[in-house]
């Protein structure tokens, strides 16, 4: 029995078998039941074979297109695939520790990485990137069906407790809390949002434990005691009996069932529309199950992955038609391809290549030619997509949305193409529905001209993922500046309010679809700023409804007003925690 002291952020006591989540590496560690061991090893082997085949295909293709020198880059990875340090080591870990393959691969990668870090030769040191790439590919190929951390979290067994290095609210929002009884995290200083979430779910939680995710093994019984601010690893019988007696009072606050049928509203009955962000048509099942009131963002560029060349009009039409039919009568917002030139070339040339081997400098310099801007320079590509969309429009409630817009002229040009395409289809005798056309507000220039853009379109969707990075000059993928990527920066709140006001004047529908909306605390602030429509990952919808139902809209408005008068992120955070962490904002 071992006790670890932390900060109790949500009271109550529970116990369960530990599931370990290392979010920094996005790897979940869980125990493999002994009878499943052979199956797990087969999974690892299948991933190796698939990775080898993909690498050989890529090598051949790159050699054809870019010559042997570049193609040779993949030889190193092919060799590593057969290195006794890699796969056999991972296999040995799975066997000896009965852990999942993703975790075993990550462990081996860390050992490998440490060796590379020590080599003096810069060329050799750089090979660490190859190992990372290869391990990433192996992990991707392990997925087969269960694909994301979110899925893994959903697959957790009953009566578990989650031990994580850190737990972001958007991930916490995706956990099935009917199975996970409580959680503990190493981090503590910046987990305030998750702490609020834990309290509103009434899930016991202890944070700030520093090393818990390393010290606890998957499958070990752990007590999470939020009231006494500690966790107890492998408690003895007497302790367990005491815990069981105390935890009898504790019941999970929500059930998956009641949650999906209820539509979202604040405590005083202000309706909030919650739609789903999806990347693949298969995600619609989860969206419907979560009770999404439509699809607020379908990132259609994901269609480019896995297709050889860009998908034809017919292929696209089939996908769009199926999605519209499946969601009808609810609306589906399809965003036209949001890629840059490199991604377009790579994604369509090679389904498995993420583009990671393109030099960063090269990518950076081309960053601006993306989204609608790129579509307008590739009329054939754009028109094909628009034709497919318009043809599909009669099968449901389609909305078309343009990404990465920075000026009115782009919108006019795009709308002209849509109108011409519609006329052409009608003259061919095809039925075309009246389709609302909207734009993403995700570049500061678009936000500053929101009043002008509002005259040109039927709706806005605020994309805070990009808006934050461009407003704050923080590359969202660059770890070195990631701490500056701050949704609560006063500039971001002001820019959102500015866009919201521009739409209110024209009665233009506006929704917000960035990651921000998946964070329940930020969501309440956005409601306070006047927004009423959101689109988020399906897994976050249940918790969003739960949290919204706990707060009155007038209290949220007052909170937002106070927050808009504050100058720093820290002051804003403090105000948010104070306002939401206490139950006096409830009705
Ligand atoms: C955004 O920028 O907020 C957004 C939702 O789009 P993406 O994350 O696909 O760029
Ligand atoms: Mg974006």
């Amino acid at each position: 029995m071992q006790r670890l002291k932390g900060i109790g952020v949500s009271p109550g006591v529970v116990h369960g078998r530990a599931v370990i989540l290392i979010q920094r590496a996005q790897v979940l560690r869980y125990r493999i039941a002994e009878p499943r061991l052979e199956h797990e090893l087969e999974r690892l082997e299948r991933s190796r074979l698939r990775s080898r085949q993909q690498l050989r295909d890529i090598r051949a293709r790159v050699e054809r297109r870019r010559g042997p020198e570049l193609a040779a880059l993949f030889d190193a990875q092919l060799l590593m695939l057969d290195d006794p340090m890699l796969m056999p080591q991972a296999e040995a870990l799975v066997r000896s520790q009965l852990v999942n393959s993703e975790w075993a691969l990550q462990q081996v990668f860390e050992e490998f990485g440490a060796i590379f870090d020590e080599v003096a030769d810069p060329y050799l040191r750089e090979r660490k990137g190859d190992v990372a790439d290869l391990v990433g590919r192996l992990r991707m190929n392990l997925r087969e069906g269960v694909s994301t951390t979110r899925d893994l979290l959903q697959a957790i067994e009953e009566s578990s407790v989650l031990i994580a290095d850190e737990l972001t609210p958007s991930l916490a929002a995706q956990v099935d809390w009917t199975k996970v009884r409580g959680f503990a995290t190493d981090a503590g200083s910046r987990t305030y949002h998750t702490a609020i979430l834990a309290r509103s779910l009434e899930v016991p939680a202890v944070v700030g434990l520093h090393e818990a995710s390393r010290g606890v093994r998957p499958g070990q019984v752990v007590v999470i005691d939020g009231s006494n601010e500690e966790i107890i690893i492998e408690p003895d019988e007497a302790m367990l009996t005491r815990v069981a007696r105390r935890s009898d009072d504790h019941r999970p606050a929500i059930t998956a069932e009641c949650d999906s049928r209820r539509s979202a509203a604040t405590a005083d009955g202000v309706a909030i529309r919650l739609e789903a962000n999806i990347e693949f048509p298969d995600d619609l099942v989860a969206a419907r199950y979560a009770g999404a009131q439509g699809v607020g963002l379908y990132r259609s560029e994901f269609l480019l992955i896995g297709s050889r060349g860009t998908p034809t009009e017919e292929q696209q039409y089939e996908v769009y038609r199926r999605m519209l039919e499946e969601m009808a009568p609810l609306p589906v917002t399809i965003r036209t391809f949001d890629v840059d030139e490199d991604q377009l070339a790579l994604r369509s040339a090679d389904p498995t290549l993420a583009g990671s081997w393109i030099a960063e400098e090269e990518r950076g310099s081309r960053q601006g030619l993306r989204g609608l801007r790129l579509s307008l320079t590739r009329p054939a590509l754009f028109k094909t997509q628009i034709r497919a969309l318009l043809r599909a429009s009669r099968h449901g409630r389609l909305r078309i949305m343009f990404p990465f817009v920075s000026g009115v002229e782009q919108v006019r040009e795009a709308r002209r193409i849509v109108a011409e395409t519609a006329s052409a289809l009608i003259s061919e005798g095809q039925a075309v529905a009246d389709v609302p056309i909207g734009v993403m507000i995700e570049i500061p220039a678009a936000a500053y001209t929101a009043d002008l853009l509002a005259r040109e379109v039927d709706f806005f969707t605020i994309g805070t993922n990009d808006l934050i990075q461009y407003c704050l000059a923080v590359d969202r993928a660059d770890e070195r500046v990631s701490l500056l990527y701050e949704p609560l920066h006063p500039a971001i709140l002001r820019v959102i309010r500015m866009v919201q006001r521009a739409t209110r004047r024209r009665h233009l529908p506006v929704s917000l679809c960035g990651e921000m909306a998946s964070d329940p605390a930020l969501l309440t602030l956005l409601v306070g700023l006047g927004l009423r429509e959101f689109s988020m990952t399906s897994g976050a919808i249940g918790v969003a409804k739960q949290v919204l139902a706990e707060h009155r809209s007038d209290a949220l408005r007052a909170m937002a007003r106070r927050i808009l008068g504050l100058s720093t992120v820290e002051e804003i955070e403090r105000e948010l925690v104070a306002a939401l962490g206490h139950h006096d904002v409830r009705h």
Side-chain angles (χ1 to χ4, degrees):
M1 186 160 103
Q2 189 194 353
R3 295 182 119 100
L4 297 179
K5 279 282 176 195
I7 308 162
V9 289
S10 179
V13 60
V14 284
H15 74 283
R17 292 210 174 268
V19 171
I20 316 290
L21 172 70
I22 300 300
Q23 228 196 307
R24 266 174 262 127
Q26 285 279 306
V27 183
L28 195 63
R29 172 182 176 176
Y30 53 91
R31 202 173 54 134
I32 303 295
E34 229 163 327
R36 301 272 304 163
L37 178 61
E38 286 312 313
H39 170 82
E40 187 64 19
L41 292 170
E42 276 166 29
R43 205 163 75 90
L44 188 59
E45 176 59 11
R46 268 201 308 277
S47 146
R48 189 175 72 91
L49 295 176
R50 281 160 67 153
S51 300
R52 168 180 296 152
Q53 192 52 50
Q54 287 163 1
L55 284 167
R56 284 185 176 156
D57 291 350
I58 294 167
R59 196 194 181 292
R61 216 169 299 133
V62 172
E63 181 156 18
R64 268 199 313 277
R65 286 167 187 254
R66 304 208 179 190
E69 213 169 296
L70 206 53
L73 283 180
F74 295 95
D75 289 338
Q77 295 198 20
L78 276 162
L79 280 174
M80 281 175 204
L81 211 46
D82 290 324
D83 192 304
M85 284 276 288
L86 191 71
M87 298 307 281
Q89 283 283 77
E91 195 183 307
L93 273 180
V94 173
R95 255 184 218 290
S96 62
Q97 297 191 10
L98 291 176
V99 286
N100 53 317
S101 307
E102 288 88 350
W103 177 269
L105 277 169
Q106 184 62 24
Q107 294 306 103
V108 173
F109 167 63
E110 279 173 18
E111 276 171 37
F112 234 83
I115 298 173
F116 278 106
D117 284 342
E118 280 165 20
V119 225
D121 181 344
Y123 175 79
L124 276 179
R125 260 206 320 268
E126 272 176 25
R127 302 283 67 77
K128 185 176 173 184
D130 284 333
V131 192
D133 234 28
L134 180 62
V135 169
R137 177 178 300 282
L138 285 160
R139 289 223 308 259
M140 174 184 84
N141 284 326
L142 276 172
R143 287 175 186 167
E144 281 187 90
V146 243
S147 43
T148 57
T149 310
R150 173 189 68 193
D151 295 325
L152 291 172
L153 284 172
Q154 296 280 321
I156 283 176
E157 283 175 22
E158 300 273 339
S159 311
S160 300
V161 292
L162 191 62
I163 315 288
D165 55 347
E166 57 190 24
L167 188 60
T168 57
S170 53
L171 201 63
Q174 294 165 31
V175 172
D176 182 347
W177 292 107
T178 58
K179 293 181 181 159
V180 178
R181 293 172 157 186
F183 71 86
T185 59
D186 299 347
S189 54
R190 291 182 63 83
T191 50
Y192 54 92
H193 296 149
T194 308
I196 292 166
L197 179 65
R199 280 196 293 279
S200 69
L201 286 169
E202 296 174 32
V203 173
V206 180
V207 305
L209 288 155
H210 305 297
E211 291 279 288
S213 69
R214 286 185 181 274
V216 179
R217 287 197 308 278
Q220 272 189 320
V221 173
V222 177
V223 171
I224 311 265
D225 191 341
S227 310
N228 289 328
E229 309 202 289
E230 63 180 1
I231 70 167
I232 302 156
I233 306 165
E234 300 272 81
D236 58 25
E237 279 300 315
M239 169 62 72
L240 265 186
T241 317
R242 277 205 299 282
V243 165
R245 212 175 301 130
R246 281 174 59 203
S247 61
D248 266 352
D249 302 336
H250 177 76
R251 293 276 175 274
I254 53 164
T255 66
E257 222 192 345
C258 73
D259 170 50
S260 71
R261 286 198 217 112
R262 190 159 38 97
S263 59
T266 57
D268 52 331
V270 173
I272 307 292
R273 188 174 181 89
L274 299 183
E275 298 187 334
N277 287 353
I278 67 165
E279 278 83 46
F280 299 99
D282 287 351
D283 296 343
L284 287 180
V285 180
R288 285 215 319 272
Y289 179 75
Q293 290 167 283
V295 171
L297 168 66
Y298 165 50
R299 292 178 162 105
S300 72
E301 61 273 14
F302 277 73
L303 266 178
L304 299 173
I305 302 177
S307 70
R308 299 197 174 267
T310 45
T312 62
E313 179 186 321
E314 214 46 42
Q315 286 166 335
Q316 291 189 52
Y317 165 74
E318 276 306 315
V319 174
Y320 305 148
R321 180 182 63 80
R322 259 190 292 125
M323 288 175 61
L324 286 161
E325 283 177 352
E326 208 173 317
M327 280 310 273
L330 299 173
V332 177
T333 312
I334 299 185
R335 178 173 82 180
T336 56
F337 299 141
D338 185 11
V339 280
D340 63 27
E341 274 184 304
D342 293 331
Q343 288 167 327
L344 184 65
L346 282 173
R347 282 188 173 179
S348 42
D350 181 347
T352 58
L353 206 55
S356 54
W357 53 277
I358 284 209
E360 280 305 315
E361 317 82 73
E362 198 184 338
R363 286 159 67 77
S365 63
R366 294 194 188 170
Q367 205 179 25
L369 192 56
R370 177 192 141 181
L372 183 63
R373 297 164 168 192
L374 181 70
S375 292
L376 292 176
T377 66
R378 306 283 176 107
L381 179 79
F382 188 51
K383 282 182 189 162
T384 304
Q385 185 169 31
I386 298 295
R387 264 185 76 90
L389 284 166
L390 292 178
R391 279 177 55 202
S393 65
R394 67 191 169 91
H395 298 285
R397 271 179 69 197
L398 172 67
R399 295 182 297 206
I400 296 178
M401 178 159 76
F402 300 131
F404 219 66
V405 168
S406 58
V408 164
E409 48 283 71
Q410 294 156 4
V411 180
R412 288 189 183 157
E413 174 65 4
R415 290 205 79 145
R416 190 184 59 72
I417 294 172
V418 173
E420 268 176 24
T421 311
S423 309
L425 283 169
I426 291 164
S427 60
E428 287 168 27
Q430 307 228 33
V432 175
D434 200 9
V435 181
I437 306 279
V439 287
M440 300 236 0
I441 303 291
E442 55 184 343
I443 298 181
Y448 280 108
T449 51
D451 56 332
L452 305 177
L453 282 166
R455 298 182 198 150
E456 310 281 332
V457 294
D458 305 309
F459 66 93
F460 277 175
T461 301
I462 305 175
T464 47
N465 300 345
D466 278 310
L467 193 55
I468 295 170
Q469 77 164 340
Y470 291 110
C471 272
L472 302 182
V474 174
D475 180 349
R476 71 198 223 199
D478 184 347
E479 254 180 61
R480 291 164 304 175
V481 284
S482 64
L483 277 182
L484 294 172
Y485 187 92
E486 184 43 85
L488 287 178
H489 192 292
I492 302 304
L493 304 182
R494 275 149 203 258
V495 90
I496 291 172
R497 187 184 53 160
M498 184 174 78
V499 175
Q500 191 270 335
R501 284 189 169 169
T503 59
R504 201 178 50 195
R505 266 178 241 121
R506 293 194 69 88
H507 305 288
L508 191 78
V510 58
S511 115
L512 186 146
C513 71
E515 270 306 298
M516 230 181 137
S518 305
D519 179 323
L522 300 187
L523 178 68
T524 53
L525 176 57
L526 293 167
V527 169
L529 288 172
L531 290 168
R532 296 290 178 265
E533 292 182 25
F534 301 91
S535 189
M536 59 187 70
T537 167
S538 299
I541 290 178
V543 175
K545 283 181 188 169
Q546 169 82 12
V547 173
L548 288 170
E550 292 184 354
H551 301 288
R552 292 183 58 89
S553 64
D554 47 4
L556 295 179
R557 203 166 42 244
M559 171 183 83
R561 212 177 303 123
R562 285 196 303 278
I563 281 179
L564 281 169
L566 300 174
S567 318
T568 69
V569 174
E570 207 187 320
E571 287 165 12
I572 292 173
E573 282 173 4
R574 226 181 296 126
E575 178 62 38
L576 197 58
V577 172
L580 302 180
H582 297 105
H583 284 206
D584 56 5
V585 286
R586 290 189 188 187
H587 57 118

